[in-house]
Amino acid sequence: MFEIFVEVTDMISRKYKPILTIVNIFIDSDKLPKIKFLDRYRKRRSPQKAMRDHLIIALCFLLVIVGVGYFMTSKDTPLPIKTETVQSPYTKSGDSELLNNIYARLDTSYKNKDEEDECQLVAAYFVCDYYTFVDKKKNEIGGVDYMYSEMVENFSQYAQTSFYSYKNQYPELEVLKYNIISYSPSKVTIAGLEDNDYYNILISLTFNEEIEGLNSTVNVTVVRVEDRYYVCGLDNA
């Protein structure tokens, strides 16, 4: 069929002769141009060698097809997108359902750069952990991981002689829920961080039991230092 097509279209010319010569390596037709030394070799070879040559040509042709197919497929395959993992600077110190919920929201707020929500959740995590005695070890003060580091020692000593003096009397005390009443900039400053941003977060707490004289509404002061917030003040409202 190919030979008839060549004759009808008059493809045997200088323009198409090189192409037809290459094609005829596989067709081996006497009506198409041939490579002379290849034609002489074909006339001298045995049937076994002819079969071997055809097999080699078929394998080469198959390798070319596979190579082209692989190249086309790999070219279309999108490169993996590198994603940068954002590591939160906040730690989870408690294991209650409330604290786990606050921490999950805090972690999301930090990664989404929602600073207002992040600030309020830092205050919420601190007070909910601080005012919970359940599962606290001896001399352990809840929430201190969220305090500005230079204030932790003095605050811990103060806590042991104030609120945490009730720990033996109410060992099962736990914050069940909280409500943020207000959030506003603060005029409070601490030495060395006069130019930083400060905020007051007023929070009401609901406990699992009542303690006479314990105020359920507290004001937490938070300061922004570098890429996170720290608690730097706690007052009964």
Side-chain angles (χ1 to χ4, degrees):
M1 290 294 295
F2 182 73
E3 295 172 2
I4 296 173
F5 174 76
V6 170
E7 292 180 5
V8 171
T9 56
D10 194 26
M11 286 182 63
I12 300 179
S13 62
R14 288 187 177 182
K15 183 177 181 180
Y16 296 106
K17 189 173 182 179
I19 298 174
L20 294 174
T21 303
I22 295 173
V23 171
N24 199 30
I25 294 175
F26 305 98
I27 297 176
D28 192 19
S29 172
D30 293 332
K31 297 182 179 180
L32 297 177
K34 294 184 178 182
I35 300 174
K36 292 182 179 179
F37 76 88
L38 185 60
D39 188 44
R40 290 195 297 270
Y41 167 76
R42 280 175 171 169
K43 289 178 179 178
R44 293 197 305 268
R45 68 180 175 176
S46 64
Q48 291 80 7
K49 287 186 176 180
M51 184 176 295
R52 182 201 61 186
D53 293 345
H54 288 144
L55 181 61
I56 293 173
I57 292 173
L59 288 174
C60 292
F61 188 67
L62 180 61
L63 288 174
V64 170
I65 292 175
V66 172
V68 171
Y70 174 79
F71 175 77
M72 295 296 292
T73 304
S74 61
K75 190 175 182 181
D76 294 336
T77 303
L79 295 175
I81 300 174
K82 293 183 179 180
T83 56
E84 183 177 351
T85 303
V86 179
Q87 184 67 40
S88 171
Y90 302 105
T91 58
K92 187 171 67 169
S93 54
D95 197 34
S96 68
E97 183 178 350
L98 178 61
L99 290 176
N100 287 338
N101 179 269
I102 297 173
Y103 183 81
R105 293 168 55 201
L106 174 59
D107 186 63
T108 300
S109 297
Y110 177 81
K111 291 176 180 178
N112 292 340
K113 302 186 185 299
D114 186 346
E115 294 185 6
E116 182 174 327
D117 197 42
E118 177 190 347
C119 177
Q120 295 178 56
L121 289 168
V122 164
Y125 193 97
F126 168 76
V127 294
C128 290
D129 194 14
Y130 177 75
Y131 284 101
T132 293
F133 288 155
V134 175
D135 297 329
K136 290 290 191 298
K137 299 177 183 178
K138 185 179 180 180
N139 297 326
E140 179 185 357
I141 307 298
V144 291
D145 289 340
Y146 284 71
M147 292 205 71
Y148 187 56
S149 58
E150 295 184 8
M151 304 181 70
V152 171
E153 184 177 355
N154 289 338
F155 179 79
S156 297
Q157 292 175 358
Y158 165 77
Q160 291 287 6
T161 59
S162 56
F163 177 66
Y164 271 70
S165 63
Y166 294 99
K167 184 178 178 182
N168 292 332
Q169 188 176 353
Y170 303 97
E172 300 300 317
L173 183 68
E174 182 179 7
V175 177
L176 298 179
K177 60 181 180 178
Y178 73 95
N179 179 52
I180 294 179
I181 300 171
S182 64
Y183 163 80
S184 59
S186 175
K187 294 181 180 179
V188 173
T189 59
I190 55 180
L193 299 175
E194 292 83 356
D195 297 328
N196 292 55
D197 295 325
Y198 293 80
Y199 301 91
N200 286 325
I201 299 95
L202 190 64
I203 304 175
S204 65
L205 303 172
T206 300
F207 297 94
N208 63 336
E209 57 183 302
E210 292 185 7
I211 297 180
E212 186 178 352
L214 177 62
N215 197 334
S216 61
T217 302
V218 295
N219 182 69
V220 184
T221 304
V222 176
V223 59
R224 178 80 177 181
V225 181
E226 295 179 354
D227 68 335
R228 63 165 289 177
Y229 290 96
Y230 293 91
V231 173
C232 61
L234 175 66
D235 298 298
N236 290 325

Coordinates of all heavy atoms in Angstrom, one line a residue, residues 10-61:
D10 N 3.9 10.6 -6.5 CA 5.2 10.9 -7.1 C 6.2 11.5 -6.0 O 6.8 12.5 -6.2 CB 5.0 12.0 -8.2 CG 6.3 12.2 -9.0 OD1 7.1 11.2 -9.1 OD2 6.5 13.3 -9.6
M11 N 6.3 10.7 -4.9 CA 7.1 11.2 -3.8 C 8.6 10.9 -4.1 O 9.5 11.5 -3.4 CB 6.7 10.4 -2.5 CG 5.5 10.9 -1.9 SD 5.1 10.0 -0.3 CE 6.5 10.5 0.7
I12 N 8.9 10.1 -5.1 CA 10.3 9.8 -5.3 C 10.9 11.0 -6.1 O 10.8 11.2 -7.3 CB 10.5 8.5 -6.2 CG1 10.0 7.3 -5.4 CG2 12.0 8.3 -6.5 CD1 10.1 6.0 -6.2
S13 N 11.5 11.8 -5.3 CA 12.2 13.0 -5.8 C 13.3 13.4 -4.9 O 13.5 12.8 -3.8 CB 11.2 14.2 -5.9 OG 10.7 14.5 -4.6
R14 N 14.1 14.4 -5.2 CA 15.2 14.7 -4.4 C 14.7 15.2 -3.0 O 15.4 15.0 -2.0 CB 16.0 15.9 -5.0 CG 16.9 15.4 -6.2 CD 17.8 16.5 -6.7 NE 18.6 16.0 -7.7 CZ 19.6 16.8 -8.3 NH1 19.7 18.1 -7.9 NH2 20.3 16.3 -9.3
K15 N 13.5 15.8 -3.0 CA 13.0 16.4 -1.7 C 12.7 15.3 -0.7 O 12.9 15.4 0.5 CB 11.8 17.2 -2.0 CG 11.2 17.8 -0.8 CD 10.0 18.7 -1.2 CE 9.4 19.4 0.0 NZ 8.2 20.2 -0.3
Y16 N 12.1 14.1 -1.2 CA 11.6 13.1 -0.3 C 12.5 11.9 -0.3 O 12.3 10.9 0.5 CB 10.2 12.6 -0.7 CG 9.2 13.7 -0.5 CD1 8.6 14.4 -1.6 CD2 8.8 14.1 0.8 CE1 7.7 15.4 -1.5 CE2 7.8 15.1 0.9 CZ 7.3 15.8 -0.2 OH 6.3 16.7 0.0
K17 N 13.5 11.8 -1.2 CA 14.4 10.7 -1.3 C 15.1 10.3 0.0 O 15.1 9.1 0.3 CB 15.4 10.9 -2.4 CG 16.2 9.6 -2.7 CD 17.1 9.8 -4.0 CE 17.8 8.5 -4.3 NZ 18.7 8.7 -5.5
P18 N 15.6 11.2 0.8 CA 16.3 10.8 2.0 C 15.3 10.1 3.0 O 15.6 9.1 3.7 CB 16.8 12.1 2.6 CG 16.9 13.0 1.4 CD 15.8 12.6 0.5
I19 N 14.1 10.7 3.1 CA 13.0 10.1 4.0 C 12.7 8.7 3.5 O 12.6 7.8 4.3 CB 11.8 11.0 4.0 CG1 12.2 12.4 4.6 CG2 10.7 10.4 4.9 CD1 11.0 13.4 4.5
L20 N 12.5 8.5 2.2 CA 12.1 7.2 1.7 C 13.2 6.2 1.8 O 12.9 5.0 2.0 CB 11.7 7.4 0.2 CG 10.4 8.2 -0.1 CD1 10.2 8.4 -1.6 CD2 9.2 7.5 0.5
T21 N 14.4 6.7 1.8 CA 15.6 5.8 1.9 C 15.6 5.2 3.4 O 15.8 4.0 3.6 CB 16.9 6.5 1.6 OG1 16.8 7.0 0.3 CG2 18.1 5.5 1.8
I22 N 15.3 6.1 4.3 CA 15.3 5.6 5.8 C 14.1 4.7 6.0 O 14.2 3.7 6.6 CB 15.2 6.9 6.7 CG1 16.5 7.7 6.6 CG2 14.9 6.4 8.1 CD1 16.4 9.0 7.3
V23 N 12.9 5.0 5.4 CA 11.7 4.2 5.6 C 12.0 2.8 5.0 O 11.6 1.8 5.5 CB 10.5 4.9 4.9 CG1 9.3 3.9 4.9 CG2 10.1 6.1 5.7
N24 N 12.7 2.8 3.9 CA 13.0 1.5 3.2 C 13.9 0.6 3.9 O 14.0 -0.6 3.6 CB 13.5 1.8 1.7 CG 13.3 0.6 0.8 OD1 12.4 -0.2 1.0 ND2 14.2 0.4 -0.1
I25 N 14.6 1.1 4.9 CA 15.4 0.2 5.8 C 14.5 -0.8 6.4 O 14.9 -2.0 6.6 CB 16.1 1.0 6.8 CG1 17.2 2.0 6.2 CG2 16.8 0.1 7.9 CD1 17.9 2.9 7.2
F26 N 13.3 -0.4 6.8 CA 12.3 -1.3 7.4 C 11.5 -2.1 6.4 O 11.1 -3.2 6.6 CB 11.4 -0.5 8.4 CG 12.2 0.3 9.4 CD1 12.5 1.6 9.2 CD2 12.8 -0.3 10.5 CE1 13.2 2.4 10.1 CE2 13.5 0.4 11.5 CZ 13.7 1.7 11.3
I27 N 11.1 -1.4 5.3 CA 10.2 -2.0 4.3 C 10.9 -3.0 3.4 O 10.4 -4.0 3.0 CB 9.5 -0.9 3.5 CG1 8.6 -0.1 4.4 CG2 8.6 -1.5 2.4 CD1 8.0 1.1 3.7
D28 N 12.2 -2.6 3.0 CA 13.0 -3.4 2.1 C 12.3 -3.7 0.8 O 12.1 -4.8 0.4 CB 13.4 -4.7 2.8 CG 14.5 -5.5 2.0 OD1 15.1 -4.8 1.2 OD2 14.6 -6.7 2.2
S29 N 11.9 -2.6 0.1 CA 11.2 -2.7 -1.2 C 12.2 -2.3 -2.3 O 13.0 -1.4 -2.2 CB 10.0 -1.7 -1.2 OG 9.4 -1.6 -2.5
D30 N 12.0 -3.1 -3.4 CA 12.9 -2.8 -4.6 C 12.4 -1.6 -5.4 O 13.2 -1.1 -6.2 CB 12.8 -4.0 -5.5 CG 13.5 -5.3 -4.9 OD1 14.4 -5.1 -4.0 OD2 13.1 -6.4 -5.2
K31 N 11.2 -1.1 -5.1 CA 10.7 0.1 -5.8 C 11.1 1.4 -5.1 O 10.8 2.5 -5.6 CB 9.2 0.0 -5.9 CG 8.7 -1.2 -6.7 CD 7.2 -1.2 -6.8 CE 6.8 -2.4 -7.7 NZ 5.3 -2.5 -7.8
L32 N 11.7 1.3 -3.9 CA 12.1 2.6 -3.2 C 13.6 2.6 -3.1 O 14.3 1.7 -3.3 CB 11.5 2.5 -1.8 CG 10.0 2.5 -1.7 CD1 9.5 2.4 -0.2 CD2 9.4 3.8 -2.3
P33 N 14.1 3.9 -2.9 CA 15.6 4.1 -2.8 C 16.2 3.2 -1.7 O 15.6 3.0 -0.7 CB 15.7 5.5 -2.5 CG 14.5 6.2 -2.9 CD 13.4 5.1 -2.8
K34 N 17.4 2.7 -2.0 CA 18.1 1.8 -1.0 C 19.4 2.4 -0.7 O 20.0 3.1 -1.5 CB 18.2 0.4 -1.5 CG 16.9 -0.3 -1.7 CD 17.1 -1.8 -2.2 CE 15.8 -2.5 -2.3 NZ 16.1 -3.9 -2.7
I35 N 19.9 2.0 0.5 CA 21.3 2.2 0.9 C 22.2 1.1 0.3 O 21.9 -0.1 0.7 CB 21.5 2.3 2.4 CG1 20.6 3.5 2.9 CG2 23.0 2.6 2.8 CD1 20.6 3.6 4.4
K36 N 23.1 1.4 -0.6 CA 23.8 0.4 -1.3 C 24.5 -0.7 -0.5 O 24.3 -1.9 -0.7 CB 24.8 1.0 -2.3 CG 24.2 1.8 -3.4 CD 25.2 2.4 -4.3 CE 24.5 3.2 -5.5 NZ 25.5 3.8 -6.4
F37 N 25.3 -0.2 0.5 CA 26.1 -1.2 1.3 C 25.1 -2.1 2.1 O 25.3 -3.2 2.4 CB 27.1 -0.5 2.2 CG 26.5 0.1 3.4 CD1 26.4 -0.6 4.6 CD2 26.2 1.5 3.4 CE1 25.9 0.1 5.7 CE2 25.6 2.1 4.5 CZ 25.5 1.4 5.7
L38 N 24.0 -1.4 2.6 CA 23.0 -2.2 3.3 C 22.3 -3.2 2.5 O 22.0 -4.4 2.9 CB 21.9 -1.2 3.9 CG 20.9 -1.9 4.9 CD1 21.6 -2.5 6.1 CD2 19.9 -0.8 5.3
D39 N 22.1 -2.9 1.2 CA 21.4 -3.8 0.2 C 22.3 -5.0 0.0 O 21.9 -6.1 -0.1 CB 21.1 -3.1 -1.1 CG 20.3 -3.9 -2.0 OD1 19.3 -4.6 -1.5 OD2 20.6 -3.9 -3.2
R40 N 23.7 -4.7 -0.2 CA 24.6 -5.8 -0.4 C 24.7 -6.7 0.8 O 24.8 -8.0 0.7 CB 26.0 -5.2 -0.7 CG 26.1 -4.6 -2.1 CD 27.5 -4.3 -2.5 NE 28.2 -3.5 -1.6 CZ 28.3 -2.1 -1.8 NH1 27.7 -1.5 -2.8 NH2 28.9 -1.4 -0.9
Y41 N 24.6 -6.1 2.0 CA 24.7 -6.9 3.2 C 23.5 -7.8 3.3 O 23.6 -9.0 3.7 CB 24.7 -6.0 4.4 CG 24.5 -6.7 5.7 CD1 25.5 -7.5 6.3 CD2 23.3 -6.6 6.4 CE1 25.2 -8.1 7.5 CE2 23.0 -7.2 7.6 CZ 24.0 -8.0 8.1 OH 23.7 -8.7 9.3
R42 N 22.3 -7.3 2.9 CA 21.1 -8.1 3.0 C 21.1 -9.3 2.1 O 20.5 -10.3 2.4 CB 19.9 -7.2 2.7 CG 19.4 -6.3 3.9 CD 18.3 -5.4 3.5 NE 17.8 -4.7 4.7 CZ 16.9 -3.7 4.6 NH1 16.6 -3.2 3.4 NH2 16.5 -3.1 5.7
K43 N 21.7 -9.1 0.9 CA 21.7 -10.2 -0.1 C 22.6 -11.3 0.4 O 22.4 -12.5 0.0 CB 22.2 -9.7 -1.4 CG 21.2 -8.8 -2.1 CD 21.7 -8.2 -3.4 CE 20.6 -7.3 -4.1 NZ 21.1 -6.8 -5.4
R44 N 23.7 -11.0 1.2 CA 24.6 -12.0 1.6 C 24.2 -12.7 2.9 O 24.7 -13.8 3.2 CB 26.0 -11.4 1.8 CG 26.7 -10.9 0.5 CD 28.2 -10.8 0.7 NE 28.4 -9.9 1.8 CZ 28.6 -8.5 1.7 NH1 28.5 -8.0 0.5 NH2 28.9 -7.8 2.7
R45 N 23.3 -12.1 3.7 CA 23.0 -12.6 5.1 C 22.1 -13.8 5.0 O 21.3 -14.0 4.0 CB 22.4 -11.5 5.9 CG 21.0 -11.1 5.5 CD 20.4 -10.1 6.4 NE 19.1 -9.6 5.8 CZ 18.3 -8.7 6.4 NH1 18.7 -8.2 7.5 NH2 17.2 -8.4 5.8
S46 N 22.2 -14.7 6.0 CA 21.4 -15.9 6.1 C 20.0 -15.5 6.7 O 19.8 -14.4 7.2 CB 22.1 -16.9 7.0 OG 22.1 -16.4 8.3
P47 N 19.0 -16.4 6.5 CA 17.7 -16.2 7.1 C 17.7 -15.9 8.6 O 17.0 -15.1 9.2 CB 16.9 -17.4 6.8 CG 17.6 -18.0 5.6 CD 19.0 -17.7 5.7
Q48 N 18.7 -16.6 9.3 CA 18.8 -16.5 10.8 C 19.2 -15.0 11.1 O 18.7 -14.4 12.0 CB 19.8 -17.5 11.4 CG 19.3 -18.9 11.4 CD 19.5 -19.6 10.0 OE1 20.1 -19.0 9.1 NE2 18.9 -20.8 9.8
K49 N 20.2 -14.5 10.3 CA 20.7 -13.2 10.5 C 19.6 -12.2 10.2 O 19.5 -11.1 10.8 CB 22.0 -12.9 9.7 CG 23.2 -13.6 10.3 CD 24.5 -13.2 9.5 CE 25.7 -13.8 10.1 NZ 26.9 -13.4 9.3
A50 N 18.9 -12.4 9.2 CA 17.8 -11.5 8.8 C 16.8 -11.4 10.0 O 16.3 -10.3 10.3 CB 17.1 -12.0 7.6
M51 N 16.5 -12.6 10.5 CA 15.5 -12.5 11.7 C 16.1 -11.8 12.8 O 15.4 -11.0 13.5 CB 15.2 -14.0 12.1 CG 14.1 -14.1 13.2 SD 13.7 -15.8 13.6 CE 13.0 -16.3 12.0
R52 N 17.4 -12.0 13.1 CA 18.1 -11.3 14.2 C 18.0 -9.8 13.9 O 17.8 -9.0 14.8 CB 19.5 -11.7 14.3 CG 20.3 -11.1 15.4 CD 21.8 -11.2 15.2 NE 22.2 -10.5 13.9 CZ 23.4 -10.6 13.4 NH1 24.4 -11.3 14.0 NH2 23.7 -9.9 12.3
D53 N 18.3 -9.3 12.7 CA 18.3 -7.9 12.4 C 17.0 -7.3 12.6 O 16.8 -6.2 13.1 CB 18.8 -7.7 10.9 CG 20.3 -8.1 10.7 OD1 21.0 -8.2 11.7 OD2 20.7 -8.2 9.6
H54 N 15.9 -8.0 12.1 CA 14.6 -7.5 12.3 C 14.2 -7.4 13.8 O 13.6 -6.4 14.2 CB 13.6 -8.5 11.6 CG 13.6 -8.4 10.1 ND1 13.4 -9.5 9.3 CD2 13.8 -7.4 9.3 CE1 13.5 -9.2 8.0 NE2 13.8 -7.9 8.0
L55 N 14.7 -8.3 14.6 CA 14.4 -8.2 16.0 C 15.1 -7.0 16.6 O 14.6 -6.3 17.5 CB 14.9 -9.5 16.7 CG 14.7 -9.6 18.2 CD1 13.2 -9.5 18.5 CD2 15.3 -10.9 18.7
I56 N 16.4 -6.8 16.2 CA 17.1 -5.7 16.8 C 16.5 -4.4 16.4 O 16.3 -3.4 17.2 CB 18.6 -5.7 16.2 CG1 19.3 -6.9 16.8 CG2 19.3 -4.4 16.6 CD1 20.7 -7.1 16.3
I57 N 16.0 -4.3 15.1 CA 15.4 -3.0 14.6 C 14.1 -2.8 15.4 O 13.8 -1.7 15.8 CB 15.1 -3.1 13.1 CG1 16.4 -3.1 12.3 CG2 14.2 -2.0 12.6 CD1 16.3 -3.4 10.8
A58 N 13.3 -3.9 15.6 CA 12.1 -3.8 16.4 C 12.3 -3.3 17.8 O 11.6 -2.5 18.3 CB 11.3 -5.1 16.4
L59 N 13.4 -3.9 18.4 CA 13.7 -3.4 19.8 C 14.1 -2.0 19.9 O 13.7 -1.2 20.8 CB 14.8 -4.3 20.4 CG 14.4 -5.8 20.7 CD1 15.6 -6.6 21.1 CD2 13.4 -5.8 21.8
C60 N 14.9 -1.6 18.9 CA 15.3 -0.1 18.8 C 14.1 0.8 18.6 O 14.0 1.8 19.3 CB 16.3 0.1 17.7 SG 17.9 -0.7 18.0
F61 N 13.2 0.3 17.8 CA 12.0 1.1 17.5 C 11.2 1.2 18.8 O 10.6 2.3 19.1 CB 11.2 0.5 16.4 CG 10.1 1.3 15.9 CD1 10.3 2.5 15.2 CD2 8.8 0.9 16.1 CE1 9.2 3.3 14.8 CE2 7.7 1.6 15.7 CZ 7.9 2.8 15.0

